[in-house]
Amino acid sequence: MNIVQADIVEKEYGEWPSFHDAEIMRVTLSCGLEAGKFAKITADINLYYTKEINKGTAQYEIVKTKDNVITIEFYGVESVVISEFNYQNVIDDLILKEVGTLIGVEFQSIFGVEATFTCEEMAVLRMVGKNEYKA
């Protein structure tokens, strides 16, 4: 399965991540304004990694080692089901699977948004530090 510009994320995280505990910050649905690219969904996803320091001491803490907002665009979207979007939208996983010639996408919810849809193509548009993110 090809994800256009996946290397933007893979360079930072070492691989394509599972997006476990990531938060969906924004979801935008758009009709087909670009020639040959029909309906699309754009999602801003906050993905952070943590590590423990000073374990077993009074100075123990968990610190963020990576904290980025990744914008992913899904083109040629069909069969969209989105529910439960609210003030906090934490996912367990971003599941991608081949469905014939399409990509099946599922935002598997922990709390908040759940979404399933198929798309023809997906691309990473950008990745910025959470402190630089502007919706």
Side-chain angles (χ1 to χ4, degrees), residues 40-88:
K40 66 182 176 181
I41 292 177
T42 306
D44 292 345
I45 305 169
N46 177 215
L47 178 62
Y48 63 89
Y49 282 5
T50 60
K51 74 175 183 177
E52 299 177 30
I53 59 172
N54 300 317
K55 191 171 183 172
T57 72
Q59 291 80 31
Y60 172 80
E61 62 181 314
I62 297 174
V63 297
K64 289 183 179 177
T65 59
K66 299 177 187 312
D67 191 9
N68 298 296
V69 176
I70 301 162
T71 302
I72 302 175
E73 198 155 75
F74 304 89
Y75 303 101
V77 174
E78 299 175 354
S79 305
V80 178
V81 177
I82 299 176
S83 64
E84 306 300 323
F85 192 87
N86 64 38
Y87 63 92
Q88 186 179 32

Side-chain angles (χ1 to χ4, degrees), residues 24 27 29 80-91 107-117:
I24 308 299
V27 175
L29 292 94
V80 178
V81 177
I82 299 176
S83 64
E84 306 300 323
F85 192 87
N86 64 38
Y87 63 92
Q88 186 179 32
N89 301 284
V90 181
I91 61 173
F107 295 160
Q108 191 175 59
S109 179
I110 290 176
F111 181 81
V113 73
E114 291 185 47
T116 60
F117 54 90

Side-chain angles (χ1 to χ4, degrees), residues 82-126:
I82 299 176
S83 64
E84 306 300 323
F85 192 87
N86 64 38
Y87 63 92
Q88 186 179 32
N89 301 284
V90 181
I91 61 173
D92 187 45
D93 202 351
L94 171 59
I95 298 171
L96 306 172
K97 58 186 173 187
E98 292 182 14
V99 180
T101 61
L102 300 175
I103 302 168
V105 179
E106 179 182 356
F107 295 160
Q108 191 175 59
S109 179
I110 290 176
F111 181 81
V113 73
E114 291 185 47
T116 60
F117 54 90
T118 58
C119 66
E120 295 174 0
E121 183 180 33
M122 60 184 285
V124 174
L125 297 185
R126 68 183 179 137

